[in-house]
């Protein structure tokens, strides 16, 4: 019996080792899109020892991205190395040494292990990018999208590597937010999925897994909640101010739904809900809001334009 047990343990250990060997150890990462999300992902990847190339359309955008990363790293080191300024300076130097930039995505993906897309939330634009990069990236390279609302499966179908394609949804601000949603399509291989989970952990995040369903976990719960708050206000059942106070004091939320909508951007929220409504037109949770549509039409998009549901100085 003891022999059988030892044999089983050795066999199980061997199987586990074989499975681990099959997983891709991600060392080189290419991030497409130098905005807040892309720069944030580049920062945490470079800070955790990965070789990172950040790609965008112009050197001007990339200079702004790099400057933002440097400033963010300084804020991180102030807390992390409060009593050791020299160690903090070394940490910044090492992180920036791991980061390079490029305006030519096709020329830099030839040696990458992982491509993370963090560009505009437009399926056609994303598909065009992935289709192009698919021709230049090595066979082993995994593709991932940072989309918060679009279907990963539709992007994967634009490539020939459906089994090496998944979702990696980080949250803003990336250096501070611990969560990553790892999205597995029906075609994503277990090897790819596990490699993405391991990468998420390697950059210091807590990964959760979800199928390719609209909004994944967080936005699937969050966006309908915000939309229901708008409908409550539209019906005249409560003021937006009282709804915000109620959710902060009654539910312990750091922001009320209208404050959050203004922070996220009303155009972004409308884009998400319109996309989901087109997928499931009979789902009442995804019903459009006349008031939200009106504010977006008037270019009152929230904090970024100085006015949304509230006015900002």
């Amino acid at each position: 019996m003891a022999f059988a047990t030892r044999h089983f343990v050795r066999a199980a250990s061997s199987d586990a080792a074989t499975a681990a060997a099959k997983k891709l150890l991600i060392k080189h990462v290419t991030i497409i899109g130098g905005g807040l999300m892309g720069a944030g992902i580049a920062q945490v990847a470079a800070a955790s020892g990965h070789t990172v190339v950040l790609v965008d359309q112009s050197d001007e955008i990339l200079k702004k991205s790099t400057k933002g990363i440097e400033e963010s790293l300084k804020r991180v080191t102030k807390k992390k190395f409060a009593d050791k300024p020299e160690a903090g300076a070394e940490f910044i130097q090492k992180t920036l040494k791991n980061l390079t930039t490029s305006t030519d995505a096709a020329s830099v993906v030839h040696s990458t292990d992982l491509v993370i897309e963090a560009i505009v939330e437009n399926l056609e634009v994303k598909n065009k990018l992935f289709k192009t990069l698919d021709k230049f990236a090595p066979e082993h390279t995994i593709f991932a999208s940072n989309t918060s609302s679009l279907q990963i499966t539709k992007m994967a179908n634009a490539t020939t590597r459906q089994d090496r394609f998944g979702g990696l949804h980080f949250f803003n601000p990336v250096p501070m937010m611990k969560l990553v949603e790892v999205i597995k399509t029906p075609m994503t291989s277990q090897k790819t999925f596990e490699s993405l989970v391991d990468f998420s952990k390697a950059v210091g995040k807590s990964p959760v897994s979800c199928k390719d369903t609209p909004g994944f976990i967080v936005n699937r719960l969050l966006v309908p909640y915000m939309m229901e708050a708008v409908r409550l206000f539209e019906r005249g059942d409560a003021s937006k101010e009282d709804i915000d106070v109620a959710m902060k004091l009654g539910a312990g939320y750091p922001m009320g739904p209208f404050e959050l909508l203004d922070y996220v951007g009303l155009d972004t929220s409308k884009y998400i809900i319109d996309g989901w409504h087109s997928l499931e037109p009979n789902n009442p949770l995804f019903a459009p809001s006349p008031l939200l549509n009106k504010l977006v039409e008037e270019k009152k998009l929230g904090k970024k334009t100085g006015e949304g549901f509230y006015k900002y100085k």
Side-chain angles (χ1 to χ4, degrees):
M1 184 67 182
F3 171 77
T5 304
R6 286 197 301 272
H7 180 75
F8 175 77
V9 169
R10 283 199 301 270
S13 300
S14 176
D15 289 347
T18 303
K22 287 180 179 178
K23 283 191 289 185
L24 174 65
L25 179 60
I26 294 167
K27 294 180 180 178
H28 305 286
V29 185
T30 301
I31 296 158
I32 316 293
L36 276 176
M37 294 304 296
I41 298 166
Q43 178 182 323
V44 297
S48 52
H50 296 84
T51 303
V52 180
V53 182
L54 182 61
V55 180
D56 213 307
Q57 293 175 324
S58 73
D59 289 323
E60 189 180 346
I61 294 171
L62 290 167
K63 281 177 187 175
K64 188 179 176 182
S65 303
T66 306
K67 187 181 177 184
I69 290 170
E70 286 180 30
E71 289 171 356
S72 177
L73 284 169
K74 286 175 185 175
R75 289 193 296 271
V76 169
T77 51
K78 265 188 179 180
K79 292 181 180 178
K80 193 174 181 181
F81 301 96
D83 302 324
K84 300 176 182 176
E86 287 181 4
E90 188 182 344
F91 171 74
I92 292 173
Q93 190 179 4
K94 275 186 177 179
T95 301
L96 293 176
K97 195 177 177 182
N98 289 334
L99 176 67
T100 56
T101 60
S102 176
T103 55
D104 187 358
S107 70
V108 297
V109 297
H110 60 85
S111 60
T112 197
D113 299 318
L114 173 65
V115 173
I116 303 175
E117 167 275 313
I119 62 173
V120 63
E121 282 287 84
N122 182 299
L123 185 62
E124 191 178 335
V125 175
K126 290 178 189 288
N127 282 352
K128 186 179 178 184
L129 171 71
F130 281 126
K131 191 173 184 179
T132 300
L133 297 184
D134 192 36
K135 298 171 185 174
F136 295 93
E139 189 178 337
H140 79 274
T141 303
I142 295 171
F143 282 8
S145 175
N146 182 58
T147 184
S148 60
S149 62
L150 299 174
Q151 278 191 305
I152 302 294
T153 304
K154 287 184 177 178
M155 290 179 237
N157 285 337
T159 74
T160 59
R161 61 184 77 216
Q162 289 97 332
D163 60 323
R164 287 150 286 153
F165 205 114
L168 275 180
H169 181 217
F170 289 78
F171 289 80
N172 188 34
V174 177
M176 303 298 294
M177 299 293 278
K178 296 294 288 182
L179 185 69
V180 174
E181 292 176 322
V182 182
I183 313 305
K184 187 178 183 182
T185 77
M187 303 167 292
T188 307
S189 71
Q190 188 62 20
K191 174 184 170 182
T192 296
F193 172 73
E194 289 176 8
S195 298
L196 291 175
V197 168
D198 287 351
F199 171 75
S200 301
K201 291 176 181 176
V203 299
K205 303 304 179 187
S206 297
V208 294
S209 65
C210 185
K211 290 181 179 179
D212 190 16
T213 186
F216 314 135
I217 298 173
V218 174
N219 282 336
R220 181 61 180 261
L221 298 174
L222 186 63
V223 174
Y225 150 73
M226 294 191 295
M227 293 303 294
E228 191 56 28
V230 176
R231 295 182 195 108
L232 196 67
F233 176 50
E234 281 177 324
R235 292 194 300 266
D237 293 340
S239 69
K240 59 181 184 289
E241 292 83 3
D242 281 353
I243 294 170
D244 276 351
V245 169
M247 293 311 296
K248 285 188 286 186
L249 300 185
Y253 288 9
M255 300 172 78
F258 292 97
E259 292 170 327
L260 187 55
L261 279 159
D262 278 355
Y263 177 78
V264 170
L266 304 193
D267 53 335
T268 302
S269 300
K270 173 179 159 51
Y271 182 84
I272 292 170
I273 208 69
D274 285 352
W276 294 358
H277 180 66
S278 68
L279 289 173
E280 299 181 27
N282 297 320
N283 191 333
L285 292 174
F286 301 161
S289 158
L291 177 57
L292 182 65
N293 291 346
K294 180 175 178 289
L295 289 170
V296 171
E297 196 177 326
E298 293 171 353
K299 306 296 181 187
K300 296 174 182 176
L301 308 180
K303 272 196 163 186
K304 60 187 174 185
T305 58
E307 185 176 355
F309 283 103
Y310 296 110
K311 288 186 179 180
Y312 303 88
K313 290 180 182 179

